[in-house]
Amino acid sequence: MAIRTRMSGNEAVAHAIRQINPDVMPAFPITPSTEIPQFVASMIANGEIDTEFIPVESEHSAMSATMGASAAGARAITATSSCGLALMWEMLYVSASSRLPIVMALVNRGLTGPLNINAEHSDSMGARDSGWIQIYAENNQEAYDNFLQAHRIAEHPEVHLPVMICQDGFITSHAVENITLWEDEPIKKFVGEYNPEHYLLKEDEAMAVGPYAVSNYCMEAKKAQAQAMINAKKVILEVAAEFEAITGQKYGFFEEYFMEDAEFAVVAIGSVCGTAKDAVDELRAKGVKAGLLKVRVFRPFPGEELAKALKHCRAIAIMDRSESYSGNGGPLGAELTAALYKEKVTAEVVNVMYGLSGRDIRVSDMEEVFGWLEKMAAGELTFDEYPYLGLRSE
């Protein structure tokens, strides 16, 4: 039977790690992900799992050790946040291009500066072109469920790419929520054992990991890696369907909330979607045809699918919790706007910056955004620049 309990997002991810029982976990502490390796180390000490925990001197070393373990044939994981991910930067690209099926728990936190330890997506969004699959959670349940699916995606023979499982720092990582935990045996069967075809410690194996590639060969390797990311779209949905069959939890590239007849839609990632749902409920009660499109998978980017889900809307707000400093908005805004153009979606579109460095977002704030959309659709409001939601006036 499934178990109903209460736990934080970090504890939920650690519980998923216990059920998976990976071979190796190198990690270095950084707020707000520190609890994850702390929980795992306690589980190892208590004899609950036999994972080899490697305490390292930095996050760069954490990813380097994770890569080494994965290349050697081990199922390897790590966890980090913010500046820790930034210190791993070189190795993010190396691990992805080496096609190592690593899984990382990323607890999203803003990058400096100014120094801040609260929720923001600038860490993961900065790594969006590193070649990692990125899956985001709205709440603790999703953080747990996403992690359970990650190895199946990463290790699939048509994929072999690393996966980031992302959740919002403190908002979900430390907040305690009701959660359903799935039984150990069905989950262990679902995740399965890791039996790589090629690895460095395999007898008579002839291979290299991270070699130098001359121009005559490197481009083909990059194309193969890009194709693996395209292949991941099919695999993500297949794994989600299997997960639904044993748990009843349904997942896809995104979640549609009152989108069937929505005239005004918000598109967002992460914990803000719970707030947006409350706003949609209140507006629907008033007769406003509001809806939410919650993005779960950002890499590979399901641009065509998102655009088709938004095609009937009159006005759309694309919410970004990361400033790309391009002068044109955030990363979700840029990529989704391009997808809408390609699908010839004619809705009015605004990219909204919100929640930077953990700035609170209330239901009233989301209702304000929907108010903007109504005015935009009526031709009563235009934006010369992309707006910052909740920005203090001078």
Side-chain angles (χ1 to χ4, degrees):
M1 291 179 61
I3 302 168
R4 290 286 290 170
T5 187
R6 299 179 183 86
M7 58 176 55
S8 69
N10 280 347
E11 190 176 2
V13 168
H15 188 82
I17 293 170
R18 183 192 66 78
Q19 292 180 304
I20 295 165
N21 191 17
D23 298 310
V24 180
M25 183 180 187
F28 189 84
I30 182 169
T31 301
S33 66
T34 300
E35 285 184 329
I36 296 175
Q38 179 183 351
F39 283 130
V40 173
S42 295
M43 292 171 182
I44 295 169
N46 294 335
E48 298 176 62
I49 55 176
D50 57 8
T51 301
E52 183 72 26
F53 185 84
I54 305 176
V56 291
E57 69 274 16
S58 73
E59 289 86 357
H60 188 283
S61 298
M63 184 51 65
S64 298
T66 307
M67 285 177 51
S70 181
R75 180 176 272 167
I77 67 169
T78 190
T80 195
S81 297
S82 182
C83 309
L85 186 71
L87 190 54
M88 292 178 178
W89 217 255
E90 174 191 12
M91 308 317 290
L92 295 179
Y93 283 80
V94 177
S95 56
S97 62
S98 298
R99 308 295 296 278
L100 298 174
I102 294 164
V103 173
M104 174 164 58
L106 181 66
V107 183
N108 289 118
R109 167 190 151 187
L111 287 168
T112 305
L115 177 62
N116 186 275
I117 64 168
N118 296 314
E120 196 178 299
H121 295 160
S122 54
D123 49 5
S124 57
M125 286 298 172
R128 64 189 178 275
D129 296 335
S130 63
W132 283 63
I133 293 167
Q134 293 188 348
I135 302 177
Y136 290 78
E138 174 192 339
N139 51 42
N140 302 5
Q141 183 73 55
E142 292 183 10
Y144 168 62
D145 291 346
N146 288 345
F147 204 94
L148 292 175
Q149 296 173 62
H151 287 283
R152 288 286 308 280
I153 297 165
E155 295 164 5
H156 193 282
E158 295 181 20
V159 179
H160 264 271
L161 291 173
V163 178
M164 281 182 204
I165 299 299
C166 307
Q167 63 169 315
D168 286 351
F170 294 107
I171 299 172
T172 63
S173 66
H174 285 64
V176 174
E177 292 183 345
N178 292 330
I179 187 173
T180 300
L181 301 176
W182 315 113
E183 290 184 338
D184 287 354
E185 289 311 310
I187 290 301
K188 290 181 183 298
K189 184 178 179 181
F190 168 77
V191 176
E193 295 294 328
Y194 181 41
N195 297 301
E197 183 179 358
H198 299 286
Y199 53 96
L200 290 174
L201 296 185
K202 184 178 181 180
E203 187 177 358
D204 300 325
E205 182 69 84
M207 63 178 289
V209 175
Y212 176 75
V214 296
S215 301
N216 291 346
Y217 297 98
C218 193
M219 192 168 175
E220 284 71 22
K222 289 181 179 293
K223 172 56 180 174
Q225 183 182 341
Q227 184 60 49
M229 187 64 78
I230 294 170
N231 296 345
K233 292 182 71 175
K234 175 176 68 75
V235 173
I236 288 168
L237 295 181
E238 289 174 352
V239 171
E242 288 187 43
F243 189 77
E244 182 182 4
I246 65 171
T247 66
Q249 294 284 94
K250 185 177 179 63
Y251 291 100
F253 297 138
F254 50 82
E255 177 189 340
E256 298 182 64
Y257 191 75
F258 283 100
M259 284 299 298
E260 296 86 354
D261 63 342
E263 295 181 1
F264 315 107
V266 161
V267 184
I269 296 175
S271 60
V272 74
C273 293
T275 306
K277 288 175 181 177
D278 288 342
V280 168
D281 290 343
E282 293 193 12
L283 290 169
R284 283 278 173 170
K286 299 174 183 176
V288 178
K289 291 185 177 180
L292 168 71
L293 201 59
K294 180 182 78 179
V295 179
R296 173 179 177 249
V297 178
F298 186 73
R299 282 289 183 272
F301 187 66
E304 180 181 354
E305 294 86 351
L306 287 165
K308 288 180 177 178
L310 293 162
K311 207 157 193 174
H312 61 281
C313 296
R314 296 172 60 198
I316 302 163
I318 307 171
M319 310 286 289
D320 264 297
R321 200 166 201 151
S322 176
E323 171 62 86
S324 64
Y325 300 107
S326 66
N328 290 292
L332 179 59
E335 299 203 18
L336 183 51
T337 300
L340 293 171
Y341 176 81
K342 187 175 181 180
E343 290 296 318
K344 297 179 172 57
V345 177
T346 58
E348 297 291 329
V349 179
V350 62
N351 189 194
V352 180
M353 206 61 55
Y354 80 97
L356 300 185
S357 302
R359 180 67 61 89
D360 284 340
I361 301 296
R362 299 172 290 272
V363 174
S364 59
D365 295 318
M366 296 308 304
E367 289 178 332
E368 181 181 4
V369 172
F370 280 109
W372 294 346
L373 297 182
E374 289 186 80
K375 292 179 180 178
M376 288 167 57
E380 299 171 359
L381 177 64
T382 59
F383 290 97
D384 295 328
E385 298 179 359
Y386 56 98
Y388 272 55
L389 183 62
L391 190 68
R392 293 202 309 274
S393 301
E394 294 183 1

